[in-house]
Amino acid sequence: MQAAEKGLLTGVQAYPIFPHNAVPFISLVKADLKFLVLQYGADSDEYLACLRHHPEIVVVCMSNHQNKTGDQRALVHELMAHNLYNPVVFAQMYRHSQEEKADFQLEAAADMGALMIDGLTDGVWLMNQGDLSDEDIDATAFGVLQAARLRTSKTEYISCPGCGRTLYDLRSTIARIREATKEMKGLKIGIMGCIVNGPGEMADADYGYVGAGLGKISLYRKKVCVERNIDEKDAVEHLLRLIKDDGNVQQASDS
Ligand code: SF4
């Protein structure tokens, strides 16, 4: 995705993609950016030499191996062992119906997440054979990228599951705050049940909404408590005002 964005910036609308057995023909095609599909275990001499002469090639790494993560990791390590640092996009085909959306999300996150967090990938390419909507596939890809801290595309929320210490309606409050802040891309908002453990568990949030007692809420900016013991019925409004007063509403919608 990141590589494709670079292409759009230069005004190019489409780029060629080559299967691994088309390596001999890649240099015959003129393009700012090219994609080459590779699988670990293929005869590597030819593609390693090709990548060395063509830094414009983005490797599309696919795997049918039972251990996809290990297979893809091995390919990237092979490139690194030969001092090749072409961008790598991990691509994977799934087979899920709309009813199996959660399975798709879980599998994609498990297949891609570890490799991203280890810094081994520059993008993801999720495909699905089934009636899963394109919107759900795209949302999953952006969700995986955001969870791995590679690309921020939406507001992020941190919340606890709630327990006996939660003295307000956590679930409906999360829904209200999400609805009110969903356009604030880039902000991280913590919504925690209690003041005992909540501030520590949302330590890297930009703002925190934390239960402070029966029907009472305290608000945090980063790690600092800035409003204490607000009535629960007014607390979401206070949170929104705090974000707005900090100038983050405009910044968030612009980013
Ligand atoms: S943060 Fe507090 S309310 Fe939430 S689960 Fe932890 S102890 Fe319970």
Side-chain angles (χ1 to χ4, degrees), residues 22 36 68 170 226 253:
L36 173 62
K68 295 185 187 68
L170 180 63
V226 291
S253 56

Side-chain angles (χ1 to χ4, degrees), residues 160-163 165-166 193-194 197-198 201:
C160 71
C163 69
R165 287 187 166 131
T166 311
C194 80
N197 293 323
E201 292 179 19

Side-chain angles (χ1 to χ4, degrees), residues 72-135:
Q72 295 181 318
R73 187 187 297 277
L75 178 64
V76 176
H77 280 287
E78 180 180 51
L79 300 181
M80 290 162 63
H82 289 82
N83 291 319
L84 294 170
Y85 295 96
N86 298 65
V88 177
V89 170
F90 290 128
Q92 201 59 53
M93 173 67 78
Y94 298 91
R95 289 174 184 79
H96 287 296
S97 63
Q98 194 65 43
E99 290 72 39
E100 298 168 331
K101 187 171 98 175
D103 294 330
F104 171 77
Q105 292 170 326
L106 283 171
E107 282 180 35
D111 289 343
M112 308 283 173
L115 300 163
M116 288 185 174
I117 288 168
D118 287 350
L120 299 180
T121 185
D122 298 277
V124 295
W125 181 0
L126 302 184
M127 297 166 276
N128 188 64
Q129 283 183 348
D131 62 356
L132 205 53
S133 70
D134 290 345
E135 288 75 19

Side-chain angles (χ1 to χ4, degrees), residues 131-221:
D131 62 356
L132 205 53
S133 70
D134 290 345
E135 288 75 19
D136 283 332
I137 295 171
D138 286 349
T140 301
F142 280 118
V144 172
L145 286 166
Q146 177 143 347
R149 303 284 184 263
L150 276 187
R151 177 170 172 169
T152 300
S153 56
K154 56 190 175 184
T155 319
E156 188 161 327
Y157 303 95
I158 304 164
S159 184
C160 71
C163 69
R165 287 187 166 131
T166 311
L167 300 177
Y168 69 96
D169 186 347
L170 180 63
R171 192 166 287 238
S172 70
T173 303
I174 291 171
R176 283 171 60 207
I177 292 176
R178 286 182 73 115
E179 181 58 30
T181 60
K182 62 186 178 191
E183 304 298 335
M184 298 178 185
K185 174 179 155 185
L187 281 190
K188 202 180 289 183
I189 300 174
I191 308 159
M192 309 303 288
C194 80
I195 205 115
V196 180
N197 293 323
E201 292 179 19
M202 56 156 210
D204 64 340
D206 297 303
Y207 295 96
Y209 181 106
V210 180
L214 187 57
K216 298 291 181 185
I217 304 296
S218 289
L219 299 181
Y220 285 69
R221 180 192 291 116

